[in-house]
Amino acid sequence: MSELISYQLEDGIATLTLSNGKVNAISPDVIAAFNAALDRAEQDRAIVIITGQPGILSGGYDLKVMTSGPQNAVALVAAGSTLARRMLAHPYPVIVACPGHAVAKGAFLLLSADYRIGVEGPFSIGLNEVQIGMTMHHVGIELARDRLRKSAFHRSVINGEMFDPQGALDAGFLDKVVPIEHLQEAARAAALQLKKINMTAHRNTKLKVRKALLETLDAAIELDKQHLA
């Protein structure tokens, strides 16, 4: 696989590890590598674990691309939103093993997965768009509205509040928090448990449950493409 996304298959579990600089920035090349890795995982009929480097899942979109011009920014966000939609509809379970910080698009990776495990420690998880002067895109609003607890949705999206791992668990970014040294073990245990379910039933139920969300995201992606400012 690409150096940006390493791919390891073992026991029907595909581990995708993001490695792109110290903040694991999400660039067009990273998204292309993600899609290629998901293609391979689908061919391998594998449970997917997505993880990052020690201390960080991702700090968000590549700021060099985001500040290089409105069209480049819109194209990157659209590609990232399409990736999120793909993760939500992926035919096999998707787990994120978050090894630390998950900010902006990093947090949206959490909101696009079926099961999310974080680690204890002084880490920040959340959507900081309004903190850095970015109006939240339509896809981000709708994804957060669907996946976050109602009490945390406004605090997160409108106020830009960042959460520690326990707060992220309460808000709905995470499903479980473990000691950092237990992250890989916990992710593997979750994957092995998910291997026991019927994958056809999983896929069909996932698509039924998320039908309205996926349709909303499709419309939101088109709305966001029209925003060139």
Side-chain angles (χ1 to χ4, degrees):
M1 283 314 324
S2 161
E3 292 180 359
L4 297 171
I5 305 284
S6 67
Y7 185 97
Q8 181 181 2
L9 181 67
E10 183 180 354
D11 297 332
I13 302 166
T15 300
L16 284 53
T17 304
L18 172 59
S19 180
N20 185 31
K22 65 180 182 178
V23 299
N24 276 347
I26 305 296
S27 66
D29 288 342
V30 167
I31 292 172
F34 251 123
N35 279 309
L38 288 174
D39 287 343
R40 183 170 170 184
E42 193 168 339
Q43 291 170 0
D44 290 334
R45 304 173 66 87
I47 308 292
V48 174
I49 296 175
I50 295 170
T51 192
Q53 302 176 70
I56 190 163
L57 178 65
S58 174
Y61 285 124
D62 188 330
L63 290 180
K64 290 181 181 178
V65 178
M66 293 297 288
T67 57
S68 66
Q71 290 185 332
N72 291 338
V74 168
L76 179 55
V77 170
S81 296
T82 303
L83 173 64
R85 191 220 185 272
R86 178 179 185 179
M87 287 173 60
L88 287 162
H90 192 71
Y92 298 94
V94 176
I95 299 165
V96 174
C98 179
H101 301 293
V103 180
K105 182 57 181 178
F108 281 122
L109 290 176
L110 296 173
L111 297 182
S112 304
D114 299 313
Y115 193 72
R116 300 80 46 88
I117 307 170
V119 294
E120 299 169 352
F123 301 114
S124 293
I125 295 172
L127 308 173
N128 71 336
E129 278 79 354
V130 298
Q131 288 189 28
I132 61 174
M134 294 178 64
T135 300
M136 183 68 76
H137 55 306
H138 290 95
V139 167
I141 291 169
E142 296 305 331
L143 186 52
R145 191 197 311 275
D146 186 83
R147 300 302 303 272
L148 293 179
R149 289 185 173 84
K150 189 173 182 179
S151 60
F153 168 66
H154 292 275
R155 290 160 55 201
S156 178
V157 173
I158 297 174
N159 299 352
E161 181 176 338
M162 301 298 290
F163 300 91
D164 63 17
Q166 185 59 49
L169 178 68
D170 296 337
F173 286 103
L174 297 172
D175 297 300
K176 186 176 186 178
V177 175
V178 300
I180 196 164
E181 64 270 19
H182 294 166
L183 179 62
Q184 290 185 355
E185 174 189 345
R188 179 172 172 80
L192 290 173
Q193 180 63 38
L194 285 167
K195 279 186 71 176
K196 298 177 183 178
I197 66 177
N198 181 285
M199 292 303 155
T200 300
H202 167 81
R203 179 185 70 243
N204 292 342
T205 302
K206 177 188 290 189
L207 293 176
K208 188 179 290 188
V209 167
R210 294 180 178 160
K211 182 177 186 292
L213 173 61
L214 295 172
E215 290 173 352
T216 297
L217 293 182
D218 287 338
I221 288 169
E222 294 307 312
L223 277 174
D224 287 331
K225 287 178 180 178
Q226 299 169 20
H227 179 74
L228 288 172

